[in-house]
Amino acid sequence: MSAGRTAADPVGGGRDITASTVVLAIETSCDETAAAVVMGGNDVLSSIVSSQVEIHARFGGVVPEVASRAHLEALVPVVRAAVDGAGIDTHRIDAVAATAGPGLVGALLVGVSAAKSLALAWDKPFVAVNHLEAHLYAGLLDDPTLEFPLVVLLVSGGHTMIVEMRGHGEYEVLGRTLDDAAGEAYDKVARFLELGYPGGPLVDRLAAEGDPDSVAFPRAMLREGLDVSFSGLKTAVINHVRANPDVSDADVAASFQAAVVDVLCAKTIRAAEQTGARGIVLGGGVAANSALRAQMAARGSAAGFRVALPSREMCTDNAAMIAAAAWHRLAVDGPSPLDCGAHPNLRLAPVPRSDRNPGGQR
Ligand code: KG4
Ligand code: ZN
């Protein structure tokens, strides 16, 4: 147990990974082409994100083939902007990291291949990073003084999980969604209300104009365990609007959001109480949600927890979080082998050490 350790404490055997170790990271798991340069695991020298949202908006969702091609086009300028923005010579880069999964396989391969090529060309280590592990680092990037154990609510478009983080690389998933991810529920409700894509920020904005108490939408499993479920809520929204065609969209959005946020806050605080966490951290795209941030801050503090709300830029997909996770992974495990590929269904665990040695997976 690592209570009292802060995120800034050295980890593993050292392996010459220090506060001045510089990592260039690349993130291409979905529809954001991102690159960042981070020193010492938390000093963000540059972070560039090029969004494909406009490209996919006309299809109402991410088209994998289109995403891969767009990553290929954007990657070189994005990496160049990150290196230029960091104001350092490429000789100062000590390692090159990329998201190896989970995500769209074609999109992942663009970033992994580019990172390996740069690592080979510069004769530097390559680090394969788990995107979910990286999301856990958003809070620690903003505030390295946070102390373990932490409970992290990771809410994104593809995942919703409550994770106990006991130290670097020491995680336990305490709860997860049984069906839709929180972001997926937001996106589906937005599509039904014909708000546009991506739905989360649009529902968030519309909800600000509505009454969150106007419709009593269900809070599934509110009092049971740490898992969550959002597909019944999505169906309840659809049924309510069909039965009440004149209902205000803003009231529906606000009431839907109130139900999501109520469940997420209740379960996260319960997890923190059960594990004796020293803090609560938000991560993932839905952690940019204004109601979730406000309520988690208020309810978490009222329950006696330090609540870390990473900046919205760190919550949504970015490469600074990949670099932060890579720095710790390097310190604990060392570099990844160059035969490491893309892992579209990777779970919250270290990336397999080698694709030629799946038995070596941990
Ligand atoms: O972490 P992320 O950028 O990408 C994934 O790894 O999935 O999360 C994207 C998700 C989308 O579903 C998007 O609608 C949601 O995060 N999102 C939000 C907000 N901003 C982004 N959901 C609710 N409120 C927001 N303000
Ligand atoms: Zn993500």
Side-chain angles (χ1 to χ4, degrees):
M1 195 69 174
S2 45
R5 262 201 278 154
T6 76
D9 288 343
V11 291
R15 292 178 195 261
D16 298 328
I17 306 306
T18 68
S20 60
T21 299
V22 175
V23 177
L24 164 67
I26 294 172
E27 153 65 34
T28 60
S29 65
C30 190
D31 59 346
E32 246 87 58
T33 313
V37 178
V38 176
M39 181 156 58
N42 54 35
D43 185 3
V44 182
L45 305 183
S46 66
S47 178
I48 306 290
V49 180
S50 167
S51 175
Q52 301 176 9
V53 159
E54 281 175 22
I55 299 172
H56 298 288
R58 73 188 111 122
F59 304 108
V62 179
V63 182
E65 175 72 16
V66 174
S68 309
R69 288 169 187 271
H71 284 309
L72 264 182
E73 282 173 21
L75 195 62
V76 170
V78 164
V79 169
R80 188 168 290 145
V83 172
D84 290 349
I88 55 163
D89 190 272
T90 50
H91 292 109
R92 270 294 284 116
I93 293 169
D94 298 303
V96 187
T99 304
L104 305 169
V105 68
L108 291 165
L109 283 169
V110 174
V112 167
S113 306
K116 285 182 186 176
S117 309
L118 288 172
L120 267 173
W122 292 338
D123 194 22
K124 300 291 179 186
F126 162 71
V127 192
V129 173
N130 183 321
H131 183 86
L132 299 174
E133 179 172 61
H135 269 307
L136 300 182
Y137 275 92
L140 300 170
L141 253 175
D142 271 5
D143 184 357
T145 68
L146 284 168
E147 288 184 9
F148 297 123
L150 296 166
V151 160
V152 186
L153 172 65
L154 200 175
V155 268
S156 71
H159 297 87
T160 291
M161 47 180 78
I162 298 172
V163 181
E164 184 189 13
M165 193 174 185
R166 296 192 203 103
H168 299 290
E170 297 172 45
Y171 321 115
E172 187 176 345
V173 179
L174 303 173
R176 53 164 42 107
T177 182
L178 301 181
D179 37 59
D180 291 351
E184 194 180 349
Y186 265 96
D187 293 340
K188 285 178 175 170
V189 165
R191 196 172 309 145
F192 176 71
L193 295 177
E194 297 178 358
L195 298 181
Y197 165 86
L202 300 167
V203 172
D204 194 1
R205 219 170 297 146
L206 183 62
E209 297 160 21
D211 174 5
D213 299 319
S214 59
V215 191
F217 284 128
R219 273 92 164 133
M221 306 191 303
L222 185 61
R223 277 168 240 296
E224 303 149 38
L226 298 174
D227 287 334
V228 296
S229 161
F230 293 119
S231 89
L233 171 60
K234 173 196 67 195
T235 307
V237 169
I238 293 170
N239 290 343
H240 184 83
V241 174
R242 286 195 176 138
N244 304 276
D246 295 331
V247 69
S248 134
D249 281 357
D251 284 348
V252 171
S255 302
F256 159 77
Q257 178 156 284
V260 172
V261 168
D262 192 13
V263 170
L264 291 177
C265 288
K267 301 261 173 172
T268 306
I269 292 167
R270 185 176 303 153
E273 284 168 349
Q274 286 179 3
T275 55
R278 297 171 85 99
I280 290 174
V281 181
L282 298 190
V286 183
N289 183 266
S290 51
L292 179 60
R293 295 170 78 86
Q295 277 205 40
M296 192 66 89
R299 290 169 61 172
S301 322
F305 296 103
R306 182 173 171 188
V307 179
L309 304 173
S311 65
R312 285 180 165 78
E313 294 72 36
M314 285 303 139
C315 290
T316 48
D317 284 351
N318 67 85
M321 67 181 191
I322 306 299
W327 188 86
H328 292 289
R329 211 27 67 220
L330 256 183
V332 174
D333 280 347
S336 307
L338 286 174
D339 70 347
C340 166
H343 299 263
N345 301 316
L346 197 61
R347 296 171 76 92
L348 187 60
V351 179
R353 293 293 298 153
S354 168
D355 283 356
R356 272 196 244 123
N357 175 28
Q361 291 188 22
R362 291 174 306 145

mmCIF file of all heavy atoms in Angstrom, residues 315-357:
data_model
loop_
_atom_site.group_PDB
_atom_site.id
_atom_site.type_symbol
_atom_site.label_atom_id
_atom_site.label_comp_id
_atom_site.label_asym_id
_atom_site.label_seq_id
_atom_site.Cartn_x
_atom_site.Cartn_y
_atom_site.Cartn_z
ATOM 1 N N CYS A 315 -8.817 16.714 -19.800
ATOM 2 C CA CYS A 315 -9.856 15.683 -19.678
ATOM 3 C C CYS A 315 -10.130 15.020 -21.020
ATOM 4 O O CYS A 315 -10.221 13.798 -21.119
ATOM 5 C CB CYS A 315 -11.162 16.288 -19.158
ATOM 6 S SG CYS A 315 -11.065 16.793 -17.443
ATOM 7 N N THR A 316 -10.284 15.842 -22.081
ATOM 8 C CA THR A 316 -10.543 15.267 -23.402
ATOM 9 C C THR A 316 -9.228 14.733 -23.971
ATOM 10 O O THR A 316 -8.148 14.998 -23.429
ATOM 11 C CB THR A 316 -11.166 16.323 -24.333
ATOM 12 O OG1 THR A 316 -10.394 17.510 -24.239
ATOM 13 C CG2 THR A 316 -12.586 16.658 -23.908
ATOM 14 N N ASP A 317 -9.329 13.974 -25.072
ATOM 15 C CA ASP A 317 -8.141 13.293 -25.580
ATOM 16 C C ASP A 317 -7.019 14.278 -25.914
ATOM 17 O O ASP A 317 -7.238 15.279 -26.591
ATOM 18 C CB ASP A 317 -8.499 12.473 -26.823
ATOM 19 C CG ASP A 317 -9.241 11.201 -26.451
ATOM 20 O OD1 ASP A 317 -9.316 10.885 -25.250
ATOM 21 O OD2 ASP A 317 -9.739 10.523 -27.364
ATOM 22 N N ASN A 318 -5.824 13.974 -25.433
ATOM 23 C CA ASN A 318 -4.649 14.814 -25.670
ATOM 24 C C ASN A 318 -3.405 13.939 -25.521
ATOM 25 O O ASN A 318 -3.497 12.799 -25.047
ATOM 26 C CB ASN A 318 -4.627 15.978 -24.664
ATOM 27 C CG ASN A 318 -4.411 15.493 -23.250
ATOM 28 O OD1 ASN A 318 -3.279 15.297 -22.814
ATOM 29 N ND2 ASN A 318 -5.491 15.227 -22.506
ATOM 30 N N ALA A 319 -2.261 14.452 -25.940
ATOM 31 C CA ALA A 319 -1.045 13.634 -25.874
ATOM 32 C C ALA A 319 -0.217 13.912 -24.626
ATOM 33 O O ALA A 319 0.676 13.133 -24.292
ATOM 34 C CB ALA A 319 -0.197 13.862 -27.126
ATOM 35 N N ALA A 320 -0.522 15.008 -23.899
ATOM 36 C CA ALA A 320 0.240 15.282 -22.676
ATOM 37 C C ALA A 320 0.007 14.148 -21.663
ATOM 38 O O ALA A 320 0.932 13.703 -20.981
ATOM 39 C CB ALA A 320 -0.182 16.625 -22.088
ATOM 40 N N MET A 321 -1.245 13.670 -21.597
ATOM 41 C CA MET A 321 -1.530 12.569 -20.659
ATOM 42 C C MET A 321 -0.818 11.280 -21.103
ATOM 43 O O MET A 321 -0.428 10.461 -20.269
ATOM 44 C CB MET A 321 -3.041 12.355 -20.529
ATOM 45 C CG MET A 321 -3.718 11.846 -21.781
ATOM 46 S SD MET A 321 -5.508 11.645 -21.531
ATOM 47 C CE MET A 321 -5.945 10.733 -23.026
ATOM 48 N N ILE A 322 -0.628 11.123 -22.411
ATOM 49 C CA ILE A 322 0.091 9.934 -22.916
ATOM 50 C C ILE A 322 1.560 10.034 -22.486
ATOM 51 O O ILE A 322 2.165 9.052 -22.034
ATOM 52 C CB ILE A 322 -0.001 9.851 -24.471
ATOM 53 C CG1 ILE A 322 -1.462 9.911 -24.953
ATOM 54 C CG2 ILE A 322 0.718 8.607 -24.993
ATOM 55 C CD1 ILE A 322 -2.352 8.815 -24.474
ATOM 56 N N ALA A 323 2.117 11.238 -22.592
ATOM 57 C CA ALA A 323 3.517 11.437 -22.195
ATOM 58 C C ALA A 323 3.698 11.215 -20.697
ATOM 59 O O ALA A 323 4.692 10.630 -20.255
ATOM 60 C CB ALA A 323 3.962 12.840 -22.581
ATOM 61 N N ALA A 324 2.721 11.669 -19.902
ATOM 62 C CA ALA A 324 2.816 11.490 -18.446
ATOM 63 C C ALA A 324 2.803 10.002 -18.093
ATOM 64 O O ALA A 324 3.631 9.513 -17.312
ATOM 65 C CB ALA A 324 1.656 12.210 -17.759
ATOM 66 N N ALA A 325 1.853 9.270 -18.695
ATOM 67 C CA ALA A 325 1.782 7.825 -18.427
ATOM 68 C C ALA A 325 3.060 7.141 -18.917
ATOM 69 O O ALA A 325 3.574 6.217 -18.268
ATOM 70 C CB ALA A 325 0.548 7.230 -19.105
ATOM 71 N N ALA A 326 3.590 7.594 -20.059
ATOM 72 C CA ALA A 326 4.801 6.976 -20.628
ATOM 73 C C ALA A 326 5.999 7.169 -19.700
ATOM 74 O O ALA A 326 6.818 6.260 -19.533
ATOM 75 C CB ALA A 326 5.099 7.600 -21.999
ATOM 76 N N TRP A 327 6.083 8.347 -19.099
ATOM 77 C CA TRP A 327 7.211 8.631 -18.194
ATOM 78 C C TRP A 327 7.212 7.622 -17.039
ATOM 79 O O TRP A 327 8.246 7.052 -16.681
ATOM 80 C CB TRP A 327 7.085 10.067 -17.671
ATOM 81 C CG TRP A 327 8.247 10.565 -16.878
ATOM 82 C CD1 TRP A 327 9.380 11.135 -17.362
ATOM 83 C CD2 TRP A 327 8.387 10.552 -15.445
ATOM 84 N NE1 TRP A 327 10.215 11.485 -16.328
ATOM 85 C CE2 TRP A 327 9.634 11.136 -15.141
ATOM 86 C CE3 TRP A 327 7.573 10.111 -14.404
ATOM 87 C CZ2 TRP A 327 10.087 11.284 -13.838
ATOM 88 C CZ3 TRP A 327 8.015 10.247 -13.102
ATOM 89 C CH2 TRP A 327 9.269 10.823 -12.828
ATOM 90 N N HIS A 328 6.033 7.398 -16.448
ATOM 91 C CA HIS A 328 5.947 6.437 -15.333
ATOM 92 C C HIS A 328 6.164 5.013 -15.824
ATOM 93 O O HIS A 328 6.794 4.203 -15.146
ATOM 94 C CB HIS A 328 4.594 6.577 -14.628
ATOM 95 C CG HIS A 328 4.483 7.888 -13.906
ATOM 96 N ND1 HIS A 328 5.210 8.162 -12.765
ATOM 97 C CD2 HIS A 328 3.784 9.008 -14.181
ATOM 98 C CE1 HIS A 328 4.944 9.398 -12.357
ATOM 99 N NE2 HIS A 328 4.083 9.930 -13.194
ATOM 100 N N ARG A 329 5.634 4.685 -16.995
ATOM 101 C CA ARG A 329 5.813 3.336 -17.563
ATOM 102 C C ARG A 329 7.303 3.073 -17.821
ATOM 103 O O ARG A 329 7.815 1.994 -17.549
ATOM 104 C CB ARG A 329 5.012 3.321 -18.839
ATOM 105 C CG ARG A 329 4.350 2.166 -19.410
ATOM 106 C CD ARG A 329 3.846 0.980 -18.720
ATOM 107 N NE ARG A 329 2.725 1.087 -17.818
ATOM 108 C CZ ARG A 329 2.696 0.396 -16.669
ATOM 109 N NH1 ARG A 329 3.680 -0.385 -16.320
ATOM 110 N NH2 ARG A 329 1.666 0.491 -15.892
ATOM 111 N N LEU A 330 7.998 4.071 -18.333
ATOM 112 C CA LEU A 330 9.440 3.941 -18.584
ATOM 113 C C LEU A 330 10.186 3.657 -17.284
ATOM 114 O O LEU A 330 11.080 2.814 -17.226
ATOM 115 C CB LEU A 330 9.974 5.255 -19.150
ATOM 116 C CG LEU A 330 10.295 5.383 -20.628
ATOM 117 C CD1 LEU A 330 10.864 6.760 -20.907
ATOM 118 C CD2 LEU A 330 11.269 4.311 -21.098
ATOM 119 N N ALA A 331 9.793 4.398 -16.239
ATOM 120 C CA ALA A 331 10.481 4.245 -14.953
ATOM 121 C C ALA A 331 10.232 2.859 -14.356
ATOM 122 O O ALA A 331 11.117 2.262 -13.739
ATOM 123 C CB ALA A 331 10.014 5.332 -13.991
ATOM 124 N N VAL A 332 9.023 2.339 -14.544
ATOM 125 C CA VAL A 332 8.668 1.053 -13.933
ATOM 126 C C VAL A 332 9.118 -0.124 -14.790
ATOM 127 O O VAL A 332 9.720 -1.079 -14.297
ATOM 128 C CB VAL A 332 7.133 0.974 -13.697
ATOM 129 C CG1 VAL A 332 6.726 -0.410 -13.213
ATOM 130 C CG2 VAL A 332 6.691 2.037 -12.712
ATOM 131 N N ASP A 333 8.834 -0.060 -16.100
ATOM 132 C CA ASP A 333 9.035 -1.212 -16.995
ATOM 133 C C ASP A 333 10.163 -1.035 -17.986
ATOM 134 O O ASP A 333 10.562 -1.982 -18.651
ATOM 135 C CB ASP A 333 7.772 -1.439 -17.839
ATOM 136 C CG ASP A 333 6.694 -2.169 -17.072
ATOM 137 O OD1 ASP A 333 7.011 -2.712 -16.005
ATOM 138 O OD2 ASP A 333 5.542 -2.191 -17.546
ATOM 139 N N GLY A 334 10.581 0.197 -18.205
ATOM 140 C CA GLY A 334 11.537 0.449 -19.284
ATOM 141 C C GLY A 334 10.814 0.549 -20.619
ATOM 142 O O GLY A 334 9.589 0.544 -20.676
ATOM 143 N N PRO A 335 11.585 0.628 -21.719
ATOM 144 C CA PRO A 335 10.997 0.825 -23.039
ATOM 145 C C PRO A 335 10.148 -0.372 -23.492
ATOM 146 O O PRO A 335 10.295 -1.476 -22.969
ATOM 147 C CB PRO A 335 12.206 0.962 -23.958
ATOM 148 C CG PRO A 335 13.385 1.106 -23.087
ATOM 149 C CD PRO A 335 13.040 0.568 -21.738
ATOM 150 N N SER A 336 9.291 -0.132 -24.460
ATOM 151 C CA SER A 336 8.503 -1.212 -25.064
ATOM 152 C C SER A 336 9.257 -1.743 -26.278
ATOM 153 O O SER A 336 9.961 -0.986 -26.946
ATOM 154 C CB SER A 336 7.147 -0.679 -25.545
ATOM 155 O OG SER A 336 6.497 -0.008 -24.507
ATOM 156 N N PRO A 337 9.077 -3.038 -26.589
ATOM 157 C CA PRO A 337 9.753 -3.581 -27.764
ATOM 158 C C PRO A 337 9.149 -3.011 -29.044
ATOM 159 O O PRO A 337 7.973 -2.657 -29.070
ATOM 160 C CB PRO A 337 9.491 -5.089 -27.659
ATOM 161 C CG PRO A 337 8.322 -5.224 -26.760
ATOM 162 C CD PRO A 337 8.283 -4.028 -25.870
ATOM 163 N N LEU A 338 9.949 -2.965 -30.088
ATOM 164 C CA LEU A 338 9.461 -2.373 -31.339
ATOM 165 C C LEU A 338 8.504 -3.301 -32.087
ATOM 166 O O LEU A 338 7.925 -2.896 -33.090
ATOM 167 C CB LEU A 338 10.643 -1.983 -32.232
ATOM 168 C CG LEU A 338 11.401 -0.738 -31.760
ATOM 169 C CD1 LEU A 338 12.645 -0.501 -32.622
ATOM 170 C CD2 LEU A 338 10.515 0.502 -31.773
ATOM 171 N N ASP A 339 8.325 -4.532 -31.615
ATOM 172 C CA ASP A 339 7.324 -5.385 -32.276
ATOM 173 C C ASP A 339 5.944 -5.230 -31.630
ATOM 174 O O ASP A 339 5.007 -5.939 -31.964
ATOM 175 C CB ASP A 339 7.758 -6.858 -32.271
ATOM 176 C CG ASP A 339 7.719 -7.484 -30.878
ATOM 177 O OD1 ASP A 339 7.591 -6.728 -29.890
ATOM 178 O OD2 ASP A 339 7.818 -8.722 -30.783
ATOM 179 N N CYS A 340 5.828 -4.279 -30.709
ATOM 180 C CA CYS A 340 4.528 -4.034 -30.082
ATOM 181 C C CYS A 340 3.609 -3.370 -31.103
ATOM 182 O O CYS A 340 3.986 -2.401 -31.755
ATOM 183 C CB CYS A 340 4.720 -3.128 -28.867
ATOM 184 S SG CYS A 340 3.207 -2.430 -28.257
ATOM 185 N N GLY A 341 2.411 -3.913 -31.255
ATOM 186 C CA GLY A 341 1.486 -3.369 -32.256
ATOM 187 C C GLY A 341 0.383 -2.546 -31.636
ATOM 188 O O GLY A 341 0.560 -1.966 -30.564
ATOM 189 N N ALA A 342 -0.766 -2.521 -32.308
ATOM 190 C CA ALA A 342 -1.931 -1.797 -31.806
ATOM 191 C C ALA A 342 -2.894 -2.796 -31.181
ATOM 192 O O ALA A 342 -3.053 -3.915 -31.676
ATOM 193 C CB ALA A 342 -2.607 -1.064 -32.951
ATOM 194 N N HIS A 343 -3.533 -2.399 -30.082
ATOM 195 C CA HIS A 343 -4.408 -3.295 -29.333
ATOM 196 C C HIS A 343 -5.768 -2.622 -29.154
ATOM 197 O O HIS A 343 -5.992 -1.923 -28.160
ATOM 198 C CB HIS A 343 -3.785 -3.627 -27.972
ATOM 199 C CG HIS A 343 -2.467 -4.329 -28.092
ATOM 200 N ND1 HIS A 343 -2.347 -5.698 -28.020
ATOM 201 C CD2 HIS A 343 -1.228 -3.852 -28.341
ATOM 202 C CE1 HIS A 343 -1.083 -6.041 -28.195
ATOM 203 N NE2 HIS A 343 -0.380 -4.927 -28.388
ATOM 204 N N PRO A 344 -6.679 -2.818 -30.132
ATOM 205 C CA PRO A 344 -7.945 -2.065 -30.108
ATOM 206 C C PRO A 344 -8.793 -2.311 -28.868
ATOM 207 O O PRO A 344 -9.555 -1.430 -28.468
ATOM 208 C CB PRO A 344 -8.675 -2.526 -31.375
ATOM 209 C CG PRO A 344 -7.854 -3.591 -31.992
ATOM 210 C CD PRO A 344 -6.510 -3.626 -31.343
ATOM 211 N N ASN A 345 -8.681 -3.487 -28.262
ATOM 212 C CA ASN A 345 -9.541 -3.801 -27.106
ATOM 213 C C ASN A 345 -8.779 -3.841 -25.790
ATOM 214 O O ASN A 345 -9.216 -4.476 -24.828
ATOM 215 C CB ASN A 345 -10.242 -5.146 -27.324
ATOM 216 C CG ASN A 345 -11.092 -5.113 -28.575
ATOM 217 O OD1 ASN A 345 -11.810 -4.139 -28.809
ATOM 218 N ND2 ASN A 345 -10.987 -6.142 -29.396
ATOM 219 N N LEU A 346 -7.666 -3.164 -25.726
ATOM 220 C CA LEU A 346 -6.838 -3.175 -24.518
ATOM 221 C C LEU A 346 -7.650 -2.760 -23.292
ATOM 222 O O LEU A 346 -8.422 -1.812 -23.346
ATOM 223 C CB LEU A 346 -5.690 -2.187 -24.729
ATOM 224 C CG LEU A 346 -4.481 -2.298 -23.812
ATOM 225 C CD1 LEU A 346 -3.816 -3.649 -23.948
ATOM 226 C CD2 LEU A 346 -3.480 -1.191 -24.167
ATOM 227 N N ARG A 347 -7.478 -3.486 -22.204
ATOM 228 C CA ARG A 347 -8.157 -3.123 -20.958
ATOM 229 C C ARG A 347 -7.194 -2.320 -20.088
ATOM 230 O O ARG A 347 -6.060 -2.085 -20.484
ATOM 231 C CB ARG A 347 -8.641 -4.397 -20.253
ATOM 232 C CG ARG A 347 -9.689 -5.116 -21.092
ATOM 233 C CD ARG A 347 -10.012 -6.467 -20.507
ATOM 234 N NE ARG A 347 -10.864 -6.359 -19.341
ATOM 235 C CZ ARG A 347 -12.194 -6.403 -19.385
ATOM 236 N NH1 ARG A 347 -12.811 -6.571 -20.521
ATOM 237 N NH2 ARG A 347 -12.910 -6.300 -18.285
ATOM 238 N N LEU A 348 -7.657 -1.951 -18.905
ATOM 239 C CA LEU A 348 -6.807 -1.128 -18.045
ATOM 240 C C LEU A 348 -5.731 -2.007 -17.406
ATOM 241 O O LEU A 348 -5.906 -2.554 -16.318
ATOM 242 C CB LEU A 348 -7.624 -0.421 -16.971
ATOM 243 C CG LEU A 348 -6.829 0.589 -16.146
ATOM 244 C CD1 LEU A 348 -6.266 1.678 -17.033
ATOM 245 C CD2 LEU A 348 -7.685 1.207 -15.068
ATOM 246 N N ALA A 349 -4.631 -2.178 -18.120
ATOM 247 C CA ALA A 349 -3.494 -2.982 -17.671
ATOM 248 C C ALA A 349 -2.334 -2.539 -18.549
ATOM 249 O O ALA A 349 -2.549 -1.931 -19.593
ATOM 250 C CB ALA A 349 -3.778 -4.474 -17.871
ATOM 251 N N PRO A 350 -1.110 -2.835 -18.146
ATOM 252 C CA PRO A 350 0.009 -2.451 -18.997
ATOM 253 C C PRO A 350 -0.128 -3.038 -20.398
ATOM 254 O O PRO A 350 -0.694 -4.114 -20.575
ATOM 255 C CB PRO A 350 1.217 -3.042 -18.275
ATOM 256 C CG PRO A 350 0.782 -3.178 -16.857
ATOM 257 C CD PRO A 350 -0.685 -3.476 -16.902
ATOM 258 N N VAL A 351 0.410 -2.340 -21.382
ATOM 259 C CA VAL A 351 0.436 -2.852 -22.751
ATOM 260 C C VAL A 351 1.298 -4.110 -22.751
ATOM 261 O O VAL A 351 2.350 -4.142 -22.106
ATOM 262 C CB VAL A 351 1.047 -1.792 -23.704
ATOM 263 C CG1 VAL A 351 1.095 -2.313 -25.124
ATOM 264 C CG2 VAL A 351 0.260 -0.495 -23.616
ATOM 265 N N PRO A 352 0.869 -5.176 -23.474
ATOM 266 C CA PRO A 352 1.696 -6.391 -23.502
ATOM 267 C C PRO A 352 3.129 -6.061 -23.905
ATOM 268 O O PRO A 352 3.360 -5.211 -24.758
ATOM 269 C CB PRO A 352 1.004 -7.244 -24.578
ATOM 270 C CG PRO A 352 -0.411 -6.757 -24.592
ATOM 271 C CD PRO A 352 -0.356 -5.303 -24.234
ATOM 272 N N ARG A 353 4.076 -6.747 -23.262
ATOM 273 C CA ARG A 353 5.484 -6.421 -23.487
ATOM 274 C C ARG A 353 5.910 -6.702 -24.914
ATOM 275 O O ARG A 353 6.785 -6.048 -25.444
ATOM 276 C CB ARG A 353 6.377 -7.220 -22.520
ATOM 277 C CG ARG A 353 6.208 -6.824 -21.079
ATOM 278 C CD ARG A 353 6.713 -5.411 -20.813
ATOM 279 N NE ARG A 353 8.132 -5.282 -21.071
ATOM 280 C CZ ARG A 353 8.709 -4.141 -21.422
ATOM 281 N NH1 ARG A 353 7.989 -3.053 -21.596
ATOM 282 N NH2 ARG A 353 9.997 -4.082 -21.642
ATOM 283 N N SER A 354 5.341 -7.745 -25.504
ATOM 284 C CA SER A 354 5.741 -8.042 -26.875
ATOM 285 C C SER A 354 4.611 -8.776 -27.570
ATOM 286 O O SER A 354 3.991 -9.660 -27.001
ATOM 287 C CB SER A 354 6.992 -8.917 -26.875
ATOM 288 O OG SER A 354 7.205 -9.417 -28.178
ATOM 289 N N ASP A 355 4.363 -8.418 -28.828
ATOM 290 C CA ASP A 355 3.343 -9.133 -29.585
ATOM 291 C C ASP A 355 3.813 -10.516 -30.002
ATOM 292 O O ASP A 355 3.037 -11.354 -30.407
ATOM 293 C CB ASP A 355 2.935 -8.318 -30.821
ATOM 294 C CG ASP A 355 2.014 -7.179 -30.413
ATOM 295 O OD1 ASP A 355 1.683 -7.118 -29.221
ATOM 296 O OD2 ASP A 355 1.658 -6.366 -31.259
ATOM 297 N N ARG A 356 5.126 -10.745 -29.935
ATOM 298 C CA ARG A 356 5.640 -12.075 -30.281
ATOM 299 C C ARG A 356 5.566 -13.001 -29.078
ATOM 300 O O ARG A 356 5.793 -14.171 -29.166
ATOM 301 C CB ARG A 356 7.100 -11.970 -30.731
ATOM 302 C CG ARG A 356 7.210 -11.695 -32.207
ATOM 303 C CD ARG A 356 8.605 -11.987 -32.701
ATOM 304 N NE ARG A 356 9.199 -10.757 -33.173
ATOM 305 C CZ ARG A 356 10.330 -10.275 -32.696
ATOM 306 N NH1 ARG A 356 10.996 -10.896 -31.762
ATOM 307 N NH2 ARG A 356 10.810 -9.159 -33.166
ATOM 308 N N ASN A 357 5.274 -12.415 -27.923
ATOM 309 C CA ASN A 357 5.293 -13.199 -26.689
ATOM 310 C C ASN A 357 4.039 -12.917 -25.874
ATOM 311 O O ASN A 357 4.109 -12.392 -24.768
ATOM 312 C CB ASN A 357 6.557 -12.825 -25.888
ATOM 313 C CG ASN A 357 6.588 -13.512 -24.544
ATOM 314 O OD1 ASN A 357 6.023 -14.592 -24.395
ATOM 315 N ND2 ASN A 357 7.222 -12.879 -23.568
#
